[in-house]
Amino acid sequence: MRKYLFLIKTAWQRQLVYRATVYGYRLGNIFDVLFQVTIWTAVYKSTSVVYGYNYNEMITYVMIGWLINFMTANYGIEDVVSRNIQNGELNVYLTRPLSYLRSIITMSIGRTSIALISGVALQLLFIFIFQNHMVAQTDLSIILVIFIIVILGYFVRLLLSILFGLIAFWATDVSGLNSFFATFIRLLSGGYAPLSLLPAMLYKLSLFFPFAYIVFFPTQLYLGKLDLMDGIKGVGVELLWLVLLYVIIKIVWNKGLKKYEGVGI
Amino acid sequence: MKKYLIIWKTLTGLATSSYLTNRVDSISYFMGKLIRLSFFLLMIIVIFNKTSDLVGYGKYEVIFFFSTFNLMDVLAQAFFRGIYFFGNDIKNGNFDFILTKPINALFYSLSRLTDILDFIFLAPIIGLLIYSISKINISFTFINYASYFTMIVFGLLIIMALHIITAAINIIAIESEAAIWLYRDSMTIGRFPPEIFPGLIQIIFTVAMPIIIIVSFPAKAFLGILSLRAALFAILYSVLFFALSLLIWKKSLKHYSSASS
């Protein structure tokens, strides 16, 4: 346990060194949030309901959606994994008395903590500013289920990132793939806009994948568009995906290690 | 001039070879961009299913603004992709090697990687521009096209200046790779007509962070709704802003500490 705590501490210290970068990214996020609020405000000047959302619900979707996005983000763990493989840094991990996968999962907790704190703080400030235009969820059992879904969502996203990073065992450059997956996950998780805006077929299809349970699903729960039973089912779906992803990662990892040449050693 | 053209051609050739070597990766990158473009286009269509106008603009005018935003964004990435690697060069001290080359260090840093995929991505964007123009119910003349291209040229000058400033920030602060992403994030403001923003935000994004000049002014010039005064202001602003960026770059070079080298 101590060695994993040490990994978290080291990653945390490293992030403290690069804190200006984190704050720079946060400043950029302000434009993103501002853009979404402004565009929806302009749209609702000439209509009262868009695909089942009134203005307050849409603003709530943006605010809570971004909050959950910050809470589940791992800020490019796929790049860390692919870099470790491509630069031969994996050799160091392989000689340590620690599992690489567990090390990466543990390290990501320390690595994301400063970004998470600053992101959540920024978003809480936005929520405070826009509170009069937001829907409030007061059911404690729903809030508890949302909290569980968000924690599981963090690990679903993390395992997906690790899986994408492991592609580096077979490819010389994965930055394009990672960029594609980042866009794909953000879109299908509801990070750009509610998934209900998608064509019906695509919307139904998106619910079969784990992405929708990262942002869209908990936000719908918060808005009261899904009930407690749906929330519990969502927890079950996320747990299933976590197990499935872990098994896939283990298989890919074992196959990848046979291919690994330790380039850069 | 000829020497720099040859260098640019060589660098572009090398970048193309690299993209062709990593075909799956390159296609994935392209697909990611296409999905993002399609989604926002879908969003505009969804919005216009519920409303007939957005801050006074029709559907195809909004698509025209959105296409112009993509055009400027993609041109910037196509020509100045090299700056995305500049932060690492500064951190690792590799900028030393660039400084010792017998070419302008700024030119090399900006254009060391020409993003050929972005050039390919221009095809759907230009297609979207032509489509939206054909659907807007105005007869456009030579003046509309000429003013559009003029504003694009000066917009690109501002974009180049912003890239130079982010490079200078990298030299001075060393740890500041977020600077270029801050510019990219702020560009999102230009996706839609500027009138959707309150007056104060419009002023900030015209004067302090000139995204509106870069993206909205060319679109407005084409639609014939940009005043001559605003056009002249944009031209003067872009020239002065570019000159300022060169001054900042020169100052920043004096701060280069050759870290890690």
Side-chain angles (χ1 to χ4, degrees):
Chain A
M1 188 63 190
R2 267 181 63 194
K3 53 195 175 192
Y4 290 108
L5 280 176
F6 185 75
L7 275 176
I8 294 176
K9 198 178 148 194
T10 313
W12 165 269
Q13 282 172 336
R14 191 177 156 78
Q15 284 307 299
L16 277 174
V17 174
Y18 294 111
R19 58 189 180 278
T21 301
V22 175
Y23 301 144
Y25 282 121
R26 287 296 83 80
L27 202 57
N29 292 138
I30 292 175
F31 298 129
D32 267 333
V33 179
L34 189 71
F35 170 74
Q36 287 190 17
V37 169
T38 314
I39 184 73
W40 288 122
T41 304
V43 170
Y44 279 94
K45 274 182 183 157
S46 46
T47 184
S48 56
V49 177
V50 176
Y51 286 80
Y53 295 83
N54 62 32
Y55 178 67
N56 284 0
E57 286 173 338
M58 191 58 89
I59 295 300
T60 308
Y61 185 91
V62 173
M63 293 300 154
I64 300 297
W66 267 99
L67 182 68
I68 294 172
N69 187 42
F70 283 129
M71 291 168 86
T72 56
N74 59 57
Y75 305 97
I77 280 291
E78 63 274 16
D79 290 327
V80 176
V81 174
S82 55
R83 210 169 40 236
N84 284 343
I85 295 168
Q86 286 167 341
N87 298 347
E89 290 159 15
L90 193 60
N91 301 327
V92 180
Y93 288 92
L94 292 175
T95 52
R96 280 180 186 168
L98 294 165
S99 146
Y100 175 72
L101 295 176
R102 269 185 238 161
S103 300
I104 280 292
I105 291 169
T106 316
M107 187 267 284
S108 83
I109 295 169
R111 187 174 171 272
T112 53
S113 46
I114 289 187
L116 186 141
I117 293 165
S118 60
V120 169
L122 170 74
Q123 204 48 35
L124 288 176
L125 180 69
F126 266 119
I127 288 172
F128 176 74
I129 295 168
F130 286 95
Q131 58 178 315
N132 291 336
H133 300 288
M134 285 179 66
V135 175
Q137 175 58 264
T138 50
D139 188 333
L140 284 177
S141 53
I142 293 265
I143 290 170
L144 180 70
V145 171
I146 292 172
F147 192 66
I148 295 167
I149 288 176
V150 170
I151 292 171
L152 293 176
Y154 172 83
F155 286 104
V156 166
R157 212 165 159 178
L158 182 61
L159 292 189
L160 281 167
S161 294
I162 293 173
L163 186 61
F164 298 149
L166 292 178
I167 294 172
F169 276 125
W170 292 272
T172 48
D173 191 359
V174 288
S175 55
L177 273 165
N178 287 345
S179 165
F180 169 75
F181 288 133
T183 305
F184 194 70
I185 290 178
R186 188 162 174 203
L187 174 66
L188 287 187
S189 68
Y192 285 121
L195 293 178
S196 347
L197 263 67
L198 293 174
M201 174 88 165
L202 205 57
Y203 169 63
K204 280 180 188 161
L205 192 71
S206 71
L207 296 179
F208 284 100
F209 292 99
F211 317 112
Y213 297 87
I214 299 170
V215 175
F216 178 70
F217 195 84
T219 315
Q220 293 301 93
L221 264 173
Y222 182 88
L223 285 169
K225 291 183 184 292
L226 295 172
D227 60 24
L228 188 63
M229 271 316 289
D230 293 321
I232 293 166
K233 275 184 209 164
V235 170
V237 172
E238 275 195 314
L239 282 170
L240 269 175
W241 270 110
L242 274 176
V243 174
L244 191 65
L245 283 169
Y246 190 75
V247 171
I248 296 171
I249 285 173
K250 276 292 202 189
I251 295 169
V252 173
W253 168 256
N254 288 329
K255 282 198 178 290
L257 269 188
K258 286 177 188 158
K259 183 100 171 69
Y260 182 60
E261 291 170 340
V263 175
I265 206 164
Chain B
M1 188 67 187
K2 196 181 165 194
K3 178 177 112 177
Y4 283 97
L5 202 62
I6 292 168
I7 293 169
W8 186 80
K9 265 175 71 180
T10 311
L11 289 169
T12 306
L14 289 170
T16 309
S17 306
S18 166
Y19 285 122
L20 286 173
T21 310
N22 305 306
R23 282 185 292 274
V24 175
D25 196 58
S26 303
I27 292 167
S28 307
Y29 183 77
F30 187 81
M31 288 305 290
K33 274 177 169 285
L34 206 57
I35 288 175
R36 209 163 33 234
L37 178 82
S38 310
F39 176 77
F40 280 104
L41 197 58
L42 177 76
M43 203 168 139
I44 293 172
I45 293 165
V46 162
I47 288 169
F48 276 94
N49 278 343
K50 298 287 162 190
T51 179
S52 57
D53 76 291
L54 190 69
V55 286
Y57 292 99
K59 179 159 86 174
Y60 295 104
E61 287 168 331
V62 171
I63 293 176
F64 182 70
F65 269 95
F66 175 66
S67 311
T68 304
F69 154 76
N70 278 290
L71 178 73
M72 299 305 279
D73 195 38
V74 164
L75 282 174
Q77 287 181 67
F79 286 111
F80 310 129
R81 175 68 81 183
I83 222 70
Y84 291 74
F85 302 91
F86 192 70
N88 263 339
D89 283 344
I90 295 297
K91 252 194 251 175
N92 302 334
N94 290 342
F95 188 53
D96 293 8
F97 303 120
I98 300 170
L99 284 173
T100 53
K101 286 183 198 295
I103 54 165
N104 183 299
L106 180 59
F107 168 81
Y108 183 84
S109 300
L110 281 170
S111 59
R112 61 187 268 190
L113 184 79
T114 304
D115 200 331
I116 204 76
L117 292 173
D118 278 312
F119 277 112
I120 300 169
F121 198 65
L122 281 174
I125 292 168
I126 290 170
L128 202 58
L129 275 170
I130 294 169
Y131 175 73
S132 56
I133 289 168
S134 72
K135 290 284 182 179
I136 297 170
N137 209 10
I138 307 172
S139 54
F140 296 106
T141 62
F142 173 75
I143 300 287
N144 297 89
Y145 288 96
S147 49
Y148 185 61
F149 288 116
T150 308
M151 284 297 115
I152 279 180
V153 168
F154 285 100
L156 281 174
L157 196 64
I158 297 176
I159 289 179
M160 200 201 297
L162 284 168
H163 281 73
I164 294 169
I165 291 170
T166 58
I169 293 171
N170 266 311
I171 294 176
I172 297 165
I174 299 172
E175 178 243 326
S176 62
E177 60 191 51
I180 189 69
W181 292 106
L182 191 62
Y183 149 75
R184 290 295 302 281
D185 286 334
S186 62
M187 272 294 273
T188 58
I189 298 290
R191 273 199 183 108
F192 285 86
E195 286 82 359
I196 66 166
F197 297 103
L200 181 66
I201 303 278
Q202 283 186 49
I203 292 169
I204 291 170
F205 283 99
T206 304
V207 183
M209 187 71 176
I211 304 299
I212 289 177
I213 299 181
I214 297 169
V215 183
S216 310
F217 275 30
K220 284 189 166 193
F222 187 78
L223 295 171
I225 50 174
L226 186 75
S227 68
L228 185 65
R229 223 169 82 175
L232 289 174
F233 165 75
I235 292 168
L236 187 68
Y237 184 97
S238 54
V239 172
L240 289 176
F241 195 67
F242 184 68
L244 179 73
S245 72
L246 290 178
L247 265 176
I248 295 171
W249 168 257
K250 277 186 183 161
K251 284 258 177 212
S252 72
L253 283 179
K254 289 179 184 155
H255 286 84
Y256 180 56
S257 60
S258 193
S260 304
S261 61

